[in-house]
Amino acid sequence: MGKILVTGGTGYIGSHTVVELLNHGYDVVIVDNLSNSKLEVLNRIEKITGKKPAFYQISVQNKEEMRQIFQKYDIDSVIHFAGLKSVKESVEKPELYRSNNIGSSRILLELMEEYGVNNLVFSSSATVYGVPKRVPLYETDPIGGCTNPYGQTKVDIELMLNEYAKTHPQANIAILRYFNPIGAHSSGLIGEDPQGIPNNLMPYITQVAVGKLPHLNVNGNDYKTVDGTGVRDYIHVVDLASGHLAALKKLEEKPGLVIYNLGTGKGTSVLELVHAFEKANHLVIPYVIAPRRPGDVDENYANCDKAWNEMHWKAKLNIEDACRDSWLWQSHNPHGYDED
Ligand code: WQD
């Protein structure tokens, strides 16, 4: 069986997916430019799985360097995580996000076509749905109307993949729309390691818990939700990783282009997550109610029936598991992957 090329494989979701791939007998090659991850992740992957995947520090935008990988390895499938993903930064640097995220995906498709690699799993996001008209969200709901350039790049890449599939009947592409990934591997050896002040809720909570930040700012408590705070569909990153293996299996059926929501189908509010974290870890998370964050929606959660019906995949871990695993990671790694 050929190799699985994982772009962005030292990142948060990438590393958890590589662990599942190796534990299920796949051969993995990682390319990552380390712009938002650390080489130490490879050592942790080896500690967990007993295997160290081939790694190349390459930007997917560098076509000639990427060509070397396609020439050197018999690649069976590509899982494409690599990309810039900060909503906030994308508003400040929209052109950088367009050239990096869309440009690298285009180069990947060109090389896949040139080297006859037919299988691609693409890391998309629930952000492509823009401001939801209603919840839960279905894969057939319209995409676009994104509130930020990052989300728009995901829409543009999905459209590019649809075009590619139309002109390449031999291509099998799984677009996976992630809702809100949280949690960490149960070993506590890998986890989310955002640079600077975290934008996302769970890493912010764990940095408050470990004493790096004084308190949590709850962005708004006047939303039309159960307790006024934002509701999201938080999926454990290990469940998300297993969703990628289910997608690889699905592509063996040669389905053409398929799209799946990867979530739990359940909404959880900010305060519900905070209280679940406190209960699971016997900790108190101080918080203050702060103004709404521009672009935030009241609630956003998935209908995941399609992933179950067509891939027999569904999330198995719950919010308490994720709160416990996130804290295990952060308490064992107060400075993330940096040396203490
Ligand atoms: C969740 C809830 C905030 C931080 C983003 C991206 C999305 C995807 C996941 C990449 C919201 C509230 C947050 C804080 C808070 N990423 N919050 N205080 O915005 O749903 O989605 O991350 O694909 O594309 O848009 O996730 O974790 O930032 O926020 O109150 O310090 O927590 O208002 O209600 P979001 P988030």
Side-chain angles (χ1 to χ4, degrees):
M1 178 166 59
K3 302 268 185 190
I4 310 295
L5 172 59
V6 181
T7 75
T10 50
Y12 172 43
I13 301 163
S15 56
H16 284 83
T17 302
V18 167
V19 163
E20 295 308 310
L21 287 167
L22 294 173
N23 282 343
H24 285 79
Y26 288 96
D27 274 340
V28 173
V29 179
I30 296 174
V31 297
D32 198 303
N33 65 2
L34 299 180
S35 65
N36 191 27
S37 60
K38 303 275 187 341
L39 214 46
E40 171 60 16
V41 171
L42 294 175
N43 297 331
R44 306 297 183 90
I45 289 173
E46 186 174 20
K47 275 191 189 146
I48 296 170
T49 66
K51 302 171 193 168
K52 195 164 190 178
F55 171 80
Y56 298 85
Q57 186 175 351
I58 292 177
S59 165
V60 181
Q61 289 188 102
N62 186 322
K63 188 167 186 177
E64 283 326 302
E65 286 190 351
M66 283 299 291
R67 182 188 300 282
Q68 309 300 321
I69 304 296
F70 281 83
Q71 270 169 341
K72 182 179 170 78
Y73 293 99
D74 164 25
I75 295 167
D76 182 64
S77 303
V78 180
I79 305 182
H80 182 33
F81 291 107
L84 298 171
K85 61 160 215 170
S86 163
V87 167
K88 203 156 76 116
E89 187 187 45
S90 78
V91 174
E92 293 147 17
K93 304 174 185 169
E95 206 30 61
L96 172 69
Y97 270 65
R98 272 191 283 276
S99 60
N100 185 84
N101 291 2
I102 299 169
S104 58
S105 301
R106 183 174 292 114
I107 284 169
L108 205 50
L109 288 177
E110 287 166 359
L111 289 168
M112 286 177 66
E113 179 182 51
E114 193 177 326
Y115 286 87
V117 177
N118 296 327
N119 303 318
L120 171 65
V121 177
F122 174 62
S123 164
S124 190
S125 164
T127 321
V128 301
Y129 292 113
V131 181
K133 305 267 180 308
R134 49 111 181 86
V135 283
L137 283 156
Y138 293 79
E139 290 86 350
T140 48
D141 284 337
I143 65 173
C146 295
T147 54
N148 59 79
Y150 158 77
Q152 189 57 43
T153 66
K154 293 294 188 182
V155 169
D156 295 343
I157 297 164
E158 286 202 17
L159 296 176
M160 180 166 64
L161 295 176
N162 272 283
E163 283 314 303
Y164 184 87
K166 282 188 196 126
T167 51
H168 297 74
Q170 80 287 1
N172 301 294
I173 298 173
I175 291 175
L176 303 182
R177 292 175 181 163
Y178 309 161
F179 279 71
N180 288 61
I182 59 170
H185 188 265
S186 56
S187 64
L189 288 168
I190 56 175
E192 192 167 9
D193 181 23
Q195 293 177 15
I197 305 285
N199 295 317
N200 295 137
L201 180 59
M202 181 60 97
Y204 204 108
I205 290 174
T206 58
Q207 287 197 18
V208 170
V210 82
K212 279 183 83 174
L213 294 168
H215 60 263
L216 170 69
N217 299 300
V218 174
N219 295 135
N221 69 344
D222 58 351
Y223 287 105
K224 292 191 283 303
T225 63
V226 58
D227 57 17
T229 63
V231 168
R232 297 291 185 274
D233 184 336
Y234 295 100
I235 174 171
H236 196 298
V237 67
V238 173
D239 277 331
L240 194 58
S242 67
H244 290 72
L245 274 70
L248 282 180
K249 274 262 163 279
K250 183 66 187 178
L251 294 187
E252 289 173 15
E253 299 168 16
K254 304 201 184 320
L257 185 137
V258 287
I259 301 175
Y260 299 110
N261 286 338
L262 294 191
T264 66
K266 187 178 169 308
T268 301
S269 77
V270 175
L271 289 179
E272 284 170 337
L273 189 66
V274 169
H275 296 145
F277 187 89
E278 292 179 320
K279 184 162 175 264
N281 298 306
H282 312 296
L283 290 167
V284 172
I285 298 295
Y287 66 84
V288 298
I289 301 297
R292 287 186 172 199
R293 211 171 45 173
D296 271 0
V297 296
D298 298 60
E299 49 182 0
N300 193 349
Y301 56 90
N303 175 284
C304 307
D305 294 345
K306 193 174 175 218
W308 175 252
N309 296 335
E310 296 186 11
M311 294 199 296
H312 220 52
W313 172 91
K314 64 180 176 180
K316 295 181 182 137
L317 300 165
N318 60 35
I319 292 286
E320 289 68 33
D321 297 319
C323 289
R324 189 191 55 244
D325 294 337
S326 285
W327 177 235
L328 185 73
W329 151 254
Q330 185 78 85
S331 56
H332 288 186
N333 303 273
H335 305 286
Y337 291 108
D338 287 336
E339 289 299 312
D340 285 357

